[in-house]
Short mmCIF file of all heavy atoms in Angstrom, two decimals:
data_model
loop_
_atom_site.label_atom_id
_atom_site.label_comp_id
_atom_site.label_asym_id
_atom_site.label_seq_id
_atom_site.Cartn_x
_atom_site.Cartn_y
_atom_site.Cartn_z
N PRO J 354 0.79 -1.17 -0.04
CA PRO J 354 -0.05 -0.04 0.01
C PRO J 354 0.77 1.34 -0.04
O PRO J 354 0.47 2.28 -0.59
CB PRO J 354 -0.88 -0.13 1.27
CG PRO J 354 -1.06 -1.56 1.45
CD PRO J 354 0.31 -2.20 1.00
N ASP J 355 2.01 1.33 0.79
CA ASP J 355 2.73 2.55 0.72
C ASP J 355 4.14 2.44 0.11
O ASP J 355 4.96 3.33 0.17
CB ASP J 355 2.88 3.07 2.13
CG ASP J 355 3.65 2.20 3.16
OD1 ASP J 355 4.29 1.15 2.55
OD2 ASP J 355 3.65 2.29 4.30
N GLY J 356 4.29 1.25 -0.58
CA GLY J 356 5.58 1.06 -1.34
C GLY J 356 6.70 0.47 -0.57
O GLY J 356 7.81 0.12 -1.10
N SER J 357 6.62 0.39 0.85
CA SER J 357 7.65 -0.07 1.61
C SER J 357 7.36 -1.51 2.10
O SER J 357 6.28 -1.93 2.06
CB SER J 357 7.95 0.84 2.84
OG SER J 357 6.73 0.84 3.66
N ALA J 358 8.40 -2.21 2.49
CA ALA J 358 8.17 -3.63 2.83
C ALA J 358 7.39 -3.73 4.15
O ALA J 358 7.42 -2.85 4.98
CB ALA J 358 9.57 -4.30 3.07
N ILE J 359 6.69 -4.84 4.24
CA ILE J 359 5.83 -5.08 5.39
C ILE J 359 6.39 -6.36 6.15
O ILE J 359 6.81 -7.36 5.46
CB ILE J 359 4.37 -5.40 4.92
CG1 ILE J 359 3.73 -4.11 4.32
CG2 ILE J 359 3.52 -5.94 6.05
CD1 ILE J 359 2.34 -4.37 3.76
N ARG J 360 6.52 -6.18 7.44
CA ARG J 360 6.97 -7.21 8.34
C ARG J 360 6.17 -7.35 9.60
O ARG J 360 5.34 -6.48 9.94
CB ARG J 360 8.43 -6.88 8.72
CG ARG J 360 9.45 -6.86 7.55
CD ARG J 360 9.65 -8.29 6.87
NE ARG J 360 10.72 -8.17 5.86
CZ ARG J 360 10.41 -8.00 4.66
NH1 ARG J 360 9.13 -7.78 4.24
NH2 ARG J 360 11.35 -7.91 3.66
N ASP J 361 6.37 -8.51 10.24
CA ASP J 361 5.68 -8.76 11.52
C ASP J 361 6.67 -8.63 12.59
O ASP J 361 7.68 -9.40 12.64
CB ASP J 361 5.12 -10.20 11.46
CG ASP J 361 4.23 -10.59 12.68
OD1 ASP J 361 4.25 -9.83 13.64
OD2 ASP J 361 3.46 -11.53 12.50
N TYR J 362 6.43 -7.67 13.51
CA TYR J 362 7.33 -7.38 14.63
C TYR J 362 6.82 -7.94 15.92
O TYR J 362 5.59 -7.90 16.16
CB TYR J 362 7.48 -5.79 14.82
CG TYR J 362 8.20 -5.24 13.52
CD1 TYR J 362 7.40 -4.72 12.55
CD2 TYR J 362 9.56 -5.07 13.47
CE1 TYR J 362 7.92 -4.20 11.31
CE2 TYR J 362 10.18 -4.59 12.35
CZ TYR J 362 9.36 -4.14 11.28
OH TYR J 362 9.93 -3.57 10.12
N ILE J 363 7.77 -8.57 16.59
CA ILE J 363 7.26 -9.23 17.88
C ILE J 363 8.14 -8.78 19.07
O ILE J 363 9.38 -8.69 19.00
CB ILE J 363 7.45 -10.83 17.69
CG1 ILE J 363 7.18 -11.57 18.94
CG2 ILE J 363 8.80 -11.23 17.11
CD1 ILE J 363 5.62 -11.68 19.19
N HIS J 364 7.45 -8.46 20.15
CA HIS J 364 8.05 -7.89 21.21
C HIS J 364 9.07 -9.01 22.03
O HIS J 364 8.61 -10.20 22.11
CB HIS J 364 7.12 -7.35 22.33
CG HIS J 364 7.78 -6.30 23.30
ND1 HIS J 364 8.71 -6.67 24.27
CD2 HIS J 364 7.56 -5.02 23.43
CE1 HIS J 364 9.09 -5.67 24.94
NE2 HIS J 364 8.43 -4.62 24.43
N VAL J 365 10.27 -8.65 22.33
CA VAL J 365 11.14 -9.58 22.99
C VAL J 365 10.56 -10.18 24.27
O VAL J 365 10.95 -11.32 24.61
CB VAL J 365 12.57 -8.90 23.32
CG1 VAL J 365 13.32 -8.64 21.95
CG2 VAL J 365 12.39 -7.66 24.18
N VAL J 366 9.75 -9.42 25.05
CA VAL J 366 9.04 -9.99 26.20
C VAL J 366 8.11 -11.15 25.82
O VAL J 366 8.02 -12.16 26.46
CB VAL J 366 8.36 -8.91 26.96
CG1 VAL J 366 7.51 -9.45 28.12
CG2 VAL J 366 9.37 -7.92 27.58
N ASP J 367 7.46 -10.97 24.70
CA ASP J 367 6.56 -12.05 24.16
C ASP J 367 7.36 -13.28 23.78
O ASP J 367 7.03 -14.39 23.94
CB ASP J 367 5.61 -11.51 23.10
CG ASP J 367 4.54 -10.59 23.51
OD1 ASP J 367 4.06 -10.89 24.58
OD2 ASP J 367 4.15 -9.78 22.79
N LEU J 368 8.57 -12.96 23.18
CA LEU J 368 9.38 -14.09 22.69
C LEU J 368 9.88 -14.80 23.99
O LEU J 368 9.88 -16.09 23.86
CB LEU J 368 10.67 -13.53 21.95
CG LEU J 368 10.43 -13.14 20.53
CD1 LEU J 368 11.77 -12.62 19.90
CD2 LEU J 368 9.87 -14.34 19.73
N ALA J 369 10.28 -14.14 25.02
CA ALA J 369 10.78 -14.87 26.15
C ALA J 369 9.63 -15.77 26.80
O ALA J 369 9.87 -16.82 27.23
CB ALA J 369 11.17 -13.71 27.22
N ASP J 370 8.40 -15.25 26.74
CA ASP J 370 7.22 -16.01 27.31
C ASP J 370 7.09 -17.22 26.54
O ASP J 370 6.83 -18.33 27.02
CB ASP J 370 5.98 -15.08 27.23
CG ASP J 370 4.80 -15.87 27.70
OD1 ASP J 370 4.86 -16.65 28.73
OD2 ASP J 370 3.70 -15.80 27.07
N ALA J 371 7.26 -17.18 25.19
CA ALA J 371 7.09 -18.31 24.32
C ALA J 371 8.10 -19.33 24.62
O ALA J 371 7.91 -20.51 24.57
CB ALA J 371 7.12 -17.89 22.88
N HIS J 372 9.42 -18.92 24.94
CA HIS J 372 10.54 -19.85 25.19
C HIS J 372 10.22 -20.55 26.55
O HIS J 372 10.44 -21.80 26.60
CB HIS J 372 11.79 -18.99 25.41
CG HIS J 372 12.43 -18.72 24.04
ND1 HIS J 372 11.98 -17.73 23.22
CD2 HIS J 372 13.53 -19.24 23.41
CE1 HIS J 372 12.71 -17.74 22.19
NE2 HIS J 372 13.71 -18.62 22.36
N VAL J 373 9.81 -19.88 27.51
CA VAL J 373 9.42 -20.60 28.79
C VAL J 373 8.34 -21.59 28.55
O VAL J 373 8.33 -22.77 29.17
CB VAL J 373 8.96 -19.52 29.75
CG1 VAL J 373 8.46 -20.21 31.04
CG2 VAL J 373 10.07 -18.57 30.23
N ARG J 374 7.28 -21.24 27.73
CA ARG J 374 6.21 -22.19 27.43
C ARG J 374 6.74 -23.39 26.73
O ARG J 374 6.30 -24.46 26.89
CB ARG J 374 5.12 -21.47 26.69
CG ARG J 374 4.33 -20.43 27.61
CD ARG J 374 3.38 -19.60 26.78
NE ARG J 374 2.68 -18.58 27.60
CZ ARG J 374 1.49 -18.70 28.04
NH1 ARG J 374 0.81 -19.82 27.83
NH2 ARG J 374 0.88 -17.83 28.69
N ALA J 375 7.61 -23.16 25.70
CA ALA J 375 8.15 -24.29 24.97
C ALA J 375 9.00 -25.26 25.82
O ALA J 375 8.74 -26.47 25.76
CB ALA J 375 9.11 -23.71 23.89
N LEU J 376 9.73 -24.72 26.75
CA LEU J 376 10.55 -25.50 27.70
C LEU J 376 9.48 -26.31 28.60
O LEU J 376 9.75 -27.54 28.91
CB LEU J 376 11.39 -24.67 28.61
CG LEU J 376 12.57 -24.02 27.92
CD1 LEU J 376 13.20 -22.96 28.79
CD2 LEU J 376 13.70 -25.08 27.45
N ASP J 377 8.40 -25.72 29.04
CA ASP J 377 7.41 -26.33 29.83
C ASP J 377 6.74 -27.59 29.01
O ASP J 377 6.61 -28.66 29.53
CB ASP J 377 6.28 -25.50 30.24
CG ASP J 377 6.77 -24.50 31.37
OD1 ASP J 377 7.86 -24.89 31.95
OD2 ASP J 377 6.07 -23.53 31.59
N VAL J 378 6.42 -27.36 27.71
CA VAL J 378 5.93 -28.34 26.82
C VAL J 378 6.83 -29.50 26.69
O VAL J 378 6.50 -30.73 26.83
CB VAL J 378 5.50 -27.81 25.52
CG1 VAL J 378 5.17 -28.90 24.61
CG2 VAL J 378 4.20 -26.91 25.64
N LEU J 379 8.20 -29.13 26.50
CA LEU J 379 9.21 -30.30 26.24
C LEU J 379 9.45 -31.03 27.60
O LEU J 379 9.57 -32.33 27.57
CB LEU J 379 10.44 -29.62 25.82
CG LEU J 379 10.47 -29.09 24.42
CD1 LEU J 379 11.75 -28.29 24.15
CD2 LEU J 379 10.26 -30.21 23.32
N ALA J 380 9.35 -30.34 28.65
CA ALA J 380 9.56 -30.96 29.91
C ALA J 380 8.40 -32.05 30.28
O ALA J 380 8.71 -33.00 30.97
CB ALA J 380 9.73 -29.94 31.06
N SER J 381 7.19 -31.61 29.98
CA SER J 381 6.18 -32.54 30.13
C SER J 381 6.00 -33.61 29.14
O SER J 381 5.00 -34.57 29.18
CB SER J 381 4.83 -31.79 30.21
OG SER J 381 4.52 -31.05 28.93
N ASP J 382 6.77 -33.44 27.98
CA ASP J 382 6.81 -34.56 26.98
C ASP J 382 5.46 -34.67 26.35
O ASP J 382 5.03 -35.82 26.16
CB ASP J 382 7.27 -35.87 27.55
CG ASP J 382 7.77 -36.92 26.53
OD1 ASP J 382 8.04 -36.43 25.36
OD2 ASP J 382 7.74 -38.04 26.72
N ARG J 383 4.75 -33.64 26.02
CA ARG J 383 3.49 -33.69 25.38
C ARG J 383 3.61 -33.77 23.95
O ARG J 383 4.49 -33.00 23.28
CB ARG J 383 2.63 -32.51 25.85
CG ARG J 383 2.32 -32.47 27.27
CD ARG J 383 1.20 -31.56 27.53
NE ARG J 383 1.40 -30.13 27.15
CZ ARG J 383 1.85 -29.29 28.01
NH1 ARG J 383 2.11 -29.57 29.18
NH2 ARG J 383 2.00 -28.05 27.52
N GLY J 384 2.86 -34.41 23.14
CA GLY J 384 2.94 -34.31 21.71
C GLY J 384 4.05 -35.05 21.08
O GLY J 384 4.78 -35.89 21.62
N SER J 385 4.28 -34.68 19.74
CA SER J 385 5.36 -35.33 19.01
C SER J 385 6.67 -34.79 19.43
O SER J 385 6.75 -33.74 20.15
CB SER J 385 5.07 -35.07 17.52
OG SER J 385 5.15 -33.66 17.23
N SER J 386 7.75 -35.38 18.98
CA SER J 386 9.10 -35.12 19.38
C SER J 386 9.71 -33.97 18.63
O SER J 386 10.81 -33.46 18.87
CB SER J 386 9.98 -36.29 19.15
OG SER J 386 10.03 -36.65 17.87
N LEU J 387 9.07 -33.46 17.56
CA LEU J 387 9.69 -32.43 16.69
C LEU J 387 8.52 -31.52 16.11
O LEU J 387 7.70 -31.95 15.40
CB LEU J 387 10.41 -33.08 15.52
CG LEU J 387 11.21 -32.09 14.59
CD1 LEU J 387 12.38 -31.54 15.34
CD2 LEU J 387 11.76 -32.88 13.41
#
């Protein structure tokens, strides 16, 4: 629309939260292995 590139920006605090949740999921061994 304005001629410049479009990207999805994500806050580092949200990224950190996702990492903690990913570790919790892996620790509980839920779902597939990959």
Side-chain angles (χ1 to χ4, degrees):
D355 64 15
S357 65
I359 293 175
R360 297 290 183 269
D361 190 339
Y362 297 88
I363 177 77
H364 201 293
V365 291
V366 170
D367 285 326
L368 282 180
D370 178 44
H372 281 75
V373 173
R374 291 170 183 261
L376 290 168
D377 287 342
V378 167
L379 290 172
S381 63
D382 196 21
R383 297 197 299 266
S385 62
S386 63
L387 184 66

